[in-house]
Structure formats: C-alpha cells, structure tokens
Amino acid sequence: MVDLYAQRRQRVMDLIGGGTAVFASAPTAVMHNDVEHPFRQDSNFYYLTGFNEPGAVAVLAPHHEEHRFVLFVRPKDLEKEIWSGYRVGVEQAKERYGADEVYPIAELDEHLPKYLEKADRLYYHFGHDQRLNDRMLRYWQRLLATYPKRGTGPVAIEDAGLLMQTLRRVKDSTELERLRRAIAIAAKAHNHARDIAAPGRYEYEIQAEMEHIFRLEGAMGTAYPSIVASGENACILHYIENNRQMQAGDLLLIDAGCAYDYYNADITRTFPVGGQFTAEQRILYELVLEAQLKAIAAVQPGAPFNEFHDAATRTLTEGMVELGLLVGDVDTLIEEKKHKAFFMHGTGHFLGLDVHDAGILRNPDKTWKPFEVGNVVTVEPGIYISPHYEPAEGQPQIEDRWRGIGIRIEDDVLVTEAGCEVLTAAVPKDLSAMER
Ligand code: GLY
Ligand code: MN
Ligand code: MN
C-alpha cells in the first residue's frame, strides 16, 4: 500500500518540478461541550499519504537530495493516547508511511523552511487552519526577504488544491475497488429499503435499517445525511428530518449512501410505498427514467462534461411540455431556464473521496472539459412538483393531480473505454421492479 501512495506522490512531484508542496491533515476532532466529534481526514492528505491522524503536515520536495517526502506528526504520548486514541508517532511513521524524514509537529517552524529554501514555488492550499495559513505565509515572506542575497526560494505560491483537483479526477484501481465496495453496501441497503417500506411505517425506520446495514457491512457510516422523503417531502431537495409516517399512495424518495474507507456511494431511488404507482407518478417516473438513461448514454470518454446534463434537461423539458406542465418552444424554455421550475439541480458530480469530488469542469475559454476513462460521476436527474407550485409569467397553472410528486433516480457511473459502466446496477430502477 505504501507503493500506491508513493506513486501518487510521484505524480505530484512530476507536476511541481522544482517546487515544494505542503499538505495539511484535517485538524483534531472538534470538541463540543467536552464531547469529541468524529475526525474526518482531509481528502488530499489521505490520498497522498494514507495517514489517518490529525495534527500532521506532509511535505513533497522533489528537488531535495535526501528528503523528498517528509512528515510532521503528533509524537507518541501515552497519556493523551488513553483519552483520544493511538498515535503512530515519529519513529514508526517513517517506516509505516514511507517518509524519508519525520519530525514532531511542534518542530514545524524549525524544519519546514529548509524544504522551501531551494524551491522555486510553494504549493499550498489556504484552508480552514488559519494558524497554519499564517505560518506558511510567514515562512514564505521570510524567504522572499532573503531571496536577493541567496538567489533561491519560492517566488510564488500556487494552490495545491487545484493541483489535486486535476490528479483526483481520474480514479486508480485501488480507488475503484473502494468505491465498488461502498456501492455494494449501499446497494444492499437500498434493496432492503424497498422490501421493508410500507404504509404506516416511519421514514426514520427505513433510514435506521439502511444505516444499520452500512455499519454492519464495514462502512464508516453515511456518506452524507440520508434523505428518506415520502409524499410531498420528496419535493424538498435536502429533506433530512425523516420523521413522517408513510401513507398508501406516497412515493418514497431515498437518497442514501455510505463511505467505505472514505470512498463514497451516492444512490437515489424512488418507488411507491404501497407497491403501485398512481397514473401521474408512473408518467413522471418513466420520464425521469428516460432522461436518466439518455444522460447515462452521454457519459463517455471525450464527451464534454455538460452533455449529459443537457441530454437530461432536454428530455425532461420535452416531457413537461407534452404533459402541459410547461408551454413553449423547448429550446427557448431551456434557454430561459424555465425547466428549473421542476428540475432545479445539476445532473451529476464527480464522486470519490468526496461526495462532490475533485475535478475541474471547465477550460479557461469556458468550454467544458471532456470525460476521461476512470472518471466516476453521478447521474441524477429528477422532477419535483411542489404542492405550492406557482407558475412563472407565461406558464400555465397546473392540475392538482401533479402536485406533491418528487422523483429522482441517481446512479454512480464509471467512464470506460467502451463508454461507461453503471456501478450501481445492483439496485433496480425499471418501472416494473419498483412495483410490487
Ligand atoms: N446526496 C448528495 C447528492 O446527490 O449530491
Ligand atoms: Mn445523492
Ligand atoms: Mn449526488
């Protein structure tokens, strides 16, 4: 596993050439009223080190003769470890994480500047750790002040975050394994949810059983707060109260996924709680599914990132016009963003160590970057007709039978040589599979 991280670090080093890159771990778990909240490692730091502790800094200095990879870590402290857990410590970090040199984090001021002295650039992301941000600026300013005498030192700071956005866009085989594992667990939970949902049960019961499966199967927990939204609640995009008692005739929209070794699944399914769609639910479900399948077909290597969203938007807008929910010319409606009355979010995002994962979407000339083999993206169109829907000027009032229906179908899709692979295929979405 050390090799894997070494390979990733090498790719960063190839990109930064004569520069030095500094990456910080996430800060120590937050205390609220003396209760410690779970620690979540910084994704870039984890991607490059596999080191899962707070209070650490990683330095990549490709030009340094001996120490190309340096870690600063919390030292062993048996008393503190009794309270807040095991620490690898300075001695073991070297071997376990393949560092050329390891120092206690308290010695950052003393040792970090020497890895910057000969660098032509400093790569660092100014994040939430204001104290570290201040220190990095101070180191840099000191080196700049002595540049005229010494003739070396970083003449600029570049954002290390952007560098990582480029690297993390394409997933390597280890990442794909972890994503597949997260998705397999989430798929099991979704399939169970469909079995147990019934009129009279509460949304949180479904949530509880799904999250039970997440942990039971070895996931770290949820990838994001689970959305278990029945009836009109499905029209609230970020509904997380999950406290309503489900009724016959409701649809149930479940957007839930787990994190496995920090890699995330993100799946949405919508199905009738009582087993049968109403006529309106069925029409809209088929429309969303058609839009989703068309969007998935537009996910392929070389296709600009916007095309799958455009495919979904066009299909949904055509459908809304056919159903009389919108009136007008489809191109004009899309141009004027009128479809957003019922489909107000994007069709998908990269998925990986972060749920909304790293990856630059556009070129400087505003054109969209194309998909590449190894990208993982969600495809998640939907239709949400609020019970309180008021038409915009020039648009028709809608019949009450459409109100309160919310539908989203979300799959996780890997871009392959041949086009794409739906990683979440184990969770059915055909109309017939949604009914009982
Ligand atoms: N569940 C978060 C998302 O779909 O983006
Ligand atoms: Mn989702
Ligand atoms: Mn998503």
Side-chain angles (χ1 to χ4, degrees):
M1 210 42 95
V2 166
D3 279 356
L4 167 79
Y5 297 108
Q7 280 166 20
R8 292 178 183 166
R9 289 192 295 270
Q10 187 56 51
R11 290 178 57 214
V12 174
M13 292 201 248
D14 291 345
L15 286 173
I16 66 175
T20 290
V22 177
F23 295 93
S25 72
T28 317
V30 192
M31 297 284 263
H32 286 292
N33 263 350
D34 227 21
V35 173
E36 204 168 290
H37 281 235
F39 166 73
R40 203 288 185 189
Q41 186 55 289
D42 176 83
S43 295
N44 288 333
F45 186 88
Y46 193 66
Y47 181 85
L48 292 173
T49 64
F51 187 52
N52 198 22
E53 286 188 25
V57 166
V59 180
L60 304 185
H63 58 278
H64 196 278
E65 277 158 24
E66 291 168 89
H67 304 157
R68 289 154 47 90
F69 170 39
V70 178
L71 273 176
F72 291 84
V73 304
R74 300 176 309 174
K76 294 291 289 176
D77 182 330
L78 293 181
E79 199 178 328
K80 288 207 170 112
E81 287 178 53
I82 287 172
W83 287 93
S84 51
Y86 177 76
R87 296 177 175 193
V88 167
V90 174
E91 280 76 31
Q92 284 203 23
K94 200 164 178 174
E95 197 187 331
R96 295 253 295 265
Y97 295 93
D100 300 315
E101 188 59 279
V102 183
Y103 302 102
I105 187 70
E107 295 177 13
L108 197 72
D109 284 348
E110 191 179 329
H111 297 292
L112 184 60
K114 68 187 180 212
Y115 296 104
L116 305 178
E117 272 169 12
K118 299 223 169 95
D120 56 12
R121 267 182 167 52
L122 164 60
Y123 290 82
Y124 175 71
H125 177 69
F126 287 87
H128 296 302
D129 188 343
Q130 205 49 52
R131 282 180 56 206
L132 185 62
N133 292 344
D134 291 345
R135 282 163 111 169
M136 295 307 300
L137 263 182
R138 215 168 53 232
Y139 301 151
W140 182 59
Q141 284 166 332
R142 277 198 206 133
L143 288 168
L144 268 186
T146 53
Y147 187 99
K149 265 196 209 150
R150 295 183 309 112
T152 64
V155 296
I157 303 180
E158 282 198 32
D159 183 50
L162 282 182
L163 199 75
M164 298 308 295
Q165 296 244 3
T166 306
L167 283 184
R168 283 173 47 201
R169 206 171 179 271
V170 171
K171 272 56 185 175
D172 59 41
S173 57
T174 310
E175 295 188 281
L176 290 176
E177 258 171 47
R178 289 173 192 170
L179 275 169
R180 284 182 196 278
R181 184 81 191 113
I183 286 168
I185 297 168
K188 184 169 180 180
H190 272 270
N191 289 335
H192 180 64
R194 236 180 19 267
D195 285 345
I196 59 168
R201 295 201 75 173
Y202 284 84
E203 294 164 343
Y204 57 74
E205 295 179 53
I206 312 302
Q207 174 189 6
E209 295 215 20
M210 292 183 79
E211 294 179 8
H212 173 78
I213 291 175
F214 292 169
R215 273 313 261 149
L216 204 62
E217 295 287 332
M220 298 165 119
T222 55
Y224 49 87
S226 304
I227 297 169
V228 182
S230 63
E232 294 177 9
N233 292 338
C235 299
I236 303 167
L237 295 181
H238 293 162
Y239 173 79
I240 53 172
E241 286 78 5
N242 301 347
N243 56 8
R244 178 176 173 272
Q245 189 177 31
M246 298 181 282
Q247 312 292 321
D250 285 348
L251 287 182
L252 179 61
L253 183 157
I254 302 179
D255 184 350
C258 56
Y260 182 82
D261 194 16
Y262 289 129
Y263 283 83
N264 299 293
D266 183 5
I267 306 178
T268 309
R269 288 294 183 266
T270 311
F271 58 89
V273 168
Q276 295 291 314
F277 286 104
T278 65
E280 289 75 20
Q281 290 167 353
R282 182 187 311 266
I283 289 167
L284 293 178
Y285 187 88
E286 286 189 307
L287 179 57
V288 174
L289 183 57
E290 186 193 343
Q292 207 240 8
L293 294 174
K294 289 213 172 120
I296 289 174
V299 175
Q300 43 181 296
F305 186 85
N306 59 317
E307 281 186 3
F308 79 123
H309 177 61
D310 291 351
T313 303
R314 174 158 298 275
T315 307
L316 290 173
T317 308
E318 283 169 359
M320 292 169 202
V321 169
E322 252 172 62
L323 297 172
L325 297 170
L326 291 177
V327 292
D329 167 64
V330 169
D331 287 325
T332 313
L333 288 170
I334 294 174
E335 207 177 291
E336 293 177 354
K337 303 189 190 318
K338 292 286 197 304
H339 61 279
K340 287 197 164 191
F342 304 114
F343 173 42
M344 55 295 277
H345 57 73
T347 298
H349 48 85
F350 288 129
L351 181 72
L353 269 174
D354 291 303
V355 176
H356 290 194
D357 204 37
I360 296 165
L361 301 181
R362 290 212 207 212
N363 297 305
D365 67 0
K366 292 266 179 222
T367 56
W368 295 86
K369 286 187 183 293
F371 281 120
E372 301 157 275
V373 173
N375 290 162
V376 176
V377 67
T378 66
V379 182
E380 49 177 310
I383 289 185
Y384 316 89
I385 307 182
S386 163
H388 316 294
Y389 174 75
E390 290 290 348
E393 209 185 311
Q395 290 300 319
Q397 192 48 267
I398 64 170
E399 291 172 50
D400 282 346
R401 63 195 174 106
W402 300 111
R403 290 179 186 273
I405 300 178
I407 297 167
R408 177 164 66 257
I409 306 172
E410 176 174 29
D411 281 311
D412 304 338
V413 175
L414 167 67
V415 181
T416 63
E417 299 279 355
C420 69
E421 178 190 345
V422 178
L423 300 173
T424 38
V427 197
K429 63 183 174 188
D430 288 350
L431 189 95
S432 59
M434 297 294 102
E435 292 193 314
R436 280 194 294 261

